[in-house]
Amino acid sequence: MNKRLLLAGLAFALGAGVTHTALAQVKPEILVKQRQAAMTLQAKYIGPLVGMAQGKIPYNADTVAMNAALLDALSRMPWDGFAPASKDATVKNAALPAVWSEPAKFKQAQENFQNAVQALVKVSRGGDEAAQKAAIGGVGKACGGCHENFREKQ
Amino acid sequence: MNKRLLLAGLAFALGAGVTHTALAQVKPEILVKQRQAAMTLQAKYIGPLVGMAQGKIPYNADTVAMNAALLDALSRMPWDGFAPASKDATVKNAALPAVWSEPAKFKQAQENFQNAVQALVKVSRGGDEAAQKAAIGGVGKACGGCHENFREKQ
């Protein structure tokens, strides 16, 4: 890691057509595996921040900044894994039928989460601990808000 | 996704002590799951680029830029999942004993990969297709170089 800079600032200009062309070649089971991998890593990096916000882990501004940057990337990764082809995957997964029967609502839940992560990224660059903890709470709420309607109860 | 900017440019100043404190609370099986998740997603985003470099998928500069940015984040994620505690994980995994018996060599292999990703990130911002394809090849080579010594043959 070595305190390197996370290079980025890239504009996302991915054409929808390109995404779909690539997805058409991906097996449903792989789509499930990939989206679950993104969820696993989101939990890895939001978990310690939630612990900080709840006062269970000592607050560390560097960890907030790093994890926010990684969540910025991760928050973009799960969604194409819910492509229609993945609906019939034969591997165990917790996605509810509402993912596909209520696409507008699911899309809104994704955007709520991504917006909450962006809000965290913004405040993670300053040193305002209270604002950061509030933004962490916002991300946690957005996670739960999506899981409430679109994931089987765990 | 909506062509939003991938915010970042954050300096990584995570204290090693913080990482270890957090890791001490993570079960070996979770460490394995998290590092495998990172590998799964690295494959997701490098795969199409390798296809482009090999001429099997049409070249798309936007996809190169996006996937490079996501790989920048992902390339930082697997390594703490190989913490000593994970050596005794009871879940199936392909890590060879050399991960723990040759730590300096393993660390070097990680750095080779991260450097290759950084090289790709740099050229992904320009439009030089040949340079990008060369950098993609460098990332693929670094993946294979690490797997050769530290992952069971698949």
Side-chain angles (χ1 to χ4, degrees), chain A residues 1-15 18 22 25 30 33-41 43-45 48 52 57-58 60 62-63 65-81 107 111 114-115 118 121-122 124-125, chain B residues 1-15 18 21-22 25 30 33-41 43-45 48 52 57 60 62-63 65-81 107 111 114-115 118 121-122 124-125:
Chain A
M1 216 67 89
N2 297 327
K3 304 186 182 183
R4 293 188 309 178
L5 293 176
L6 177 54
L7 300 172
L10 292 166
F12 277 93
L14 180 66
V18 175
Q25 303 163 350
I30 299 293
K33 184 181 175 187
Q34 290 173 338
R35 76 190 189 211
Q36 288 178 337
M39 296 292 177
T40 291
L41 291 168
K44 176 183 177 185
Y45 292 105
M52 289 181 201
I57 298 176
N60 183 289
D62 292 333
T63 303
M66 186 184 80
N67 289 19
L70 298 180
L71 286 165
D72 185 358
L74 288 167
S75 68
R76 301 159 193 272
M77 296 184 192
W79 318 119
D80 58 3
K107 179 82 177 164
E111 288 179 1
Q114 290 184 291
N115 290 340
Q118 290 304 311
V121 168
K122 273 179 196 156
S124 76
R125 297 176 175 193
Chain B
M1 214 67 87
N2 296 328
K3 303 187 182 184
R4 293 188 307 179
L5 291 176
L6 177 53
L7 298 172
L10 292 166
F12 277 96
L14 179 67
V18 175
T21 303
Q25 303 163 350
I30 299 293
K33 185 181 173 187
Q34 290 173 337
R35 76 190 190 213
Q36 289 178 336
M39 296 293 177
T40 291
L41 290 168
K44 176 183 177 184
Y45 292 104
M52 287 180 202
I57 297 177
N60 182 291
D62 292 333
T63 302
M66 184 183 81
N67 288 19
L70 299 179
L71 287 164
D72 185 359
L74 289 167
S75 67
R76 301 158 194 271
M77 297 186 191
W79 318 118
D80 59 1
K107 178 83 178 162
E111 289 179 2
Q114 290 184 291
N115 291 340
Q118 291 303 312
V121 168
K122 273 178 197 156
S124 75
R125 296 176 174 193

Side-chain angles (χ1 to χ4, degrees), chain A:
Chain A
M1 216 67 89
N2 297 327
K3 304 186 182 183
R4 293 188 309 178
L5 293 176
L6 177 54
L7 300 172
L10 292 166
F12 277 93
L14 180 66
V18 175
T19 305
H20 294 145
T21 304
L23 281 175
Q25 303 163 350
V26 181
K27 291 180 187 172
E29 290 70 29
I30 299 293
L31 291 172
V32 171
K33 184 181 175 187
Q34 290 173 338
R35 76 190 189 211
Q36 288 178 337
M39 296 292 177
T40 291
L41 291 168
Q42 287 174 165
K44 176 183 177 185
Y45 292 105
I46 193 64
L49 304 194
V50 171
M52 289 181 201
Q54 295 176 337
K56 295 177 183 169
I57 298 176
Y59 170 75
N60 183 289
D62 292 333
T63 303
V64 174
M66 186 184 80
N67 289 19
L70 298 180
L71 286 165
D72 185 358
L74 288 167
S75 68
R76 301 159 193 272
M77 296 184 192
W79 318 119
D80 58 3
F82 292 96
S86 73
K87 189 180 174 184
D88 302 318
T90 54
V91 289
K92 189 184 168 207
N93 72 94
L96 291 174
V99 165
W100 298 280
S101 64
E102 300 186 59
K105 193 175 171 187
F106 183 49
K107 179 82 177 164
Q108 185 59 55
Q110 296 168 27
E111 288 179 1
N112 290 347
F113 171 68
Q114 290 184 291
N115 290 340
V117 170
Q118 290 304 311
L120 173 61
V121 168
K122 273 179 196 156
V123 296
S124 76
R125 297 176 175 193
D128 187 337
E129 181 179 335
Q132 291 179 2
K133 289 185 174 179
I136 290 164
V139 174
K141 192 176 168 186
C143 293
C146 193
H147 290 168
E148 176 67 24
N149 294 310
F150 299 102
R151 187 179 68 162
E152 276 177 22
K153 297 287 171 285
Q154 303 290 295

Side-chain angles (χ1 to χ4, degrees), chain B residues 121-135:
Chain B
V121 168
K122 273 178 197 156
V123 295
S124 75
R125 296 176 174 193
D128 187 336
E129 180 179 337
Q132 292 180 359
K133 289 185 173 179

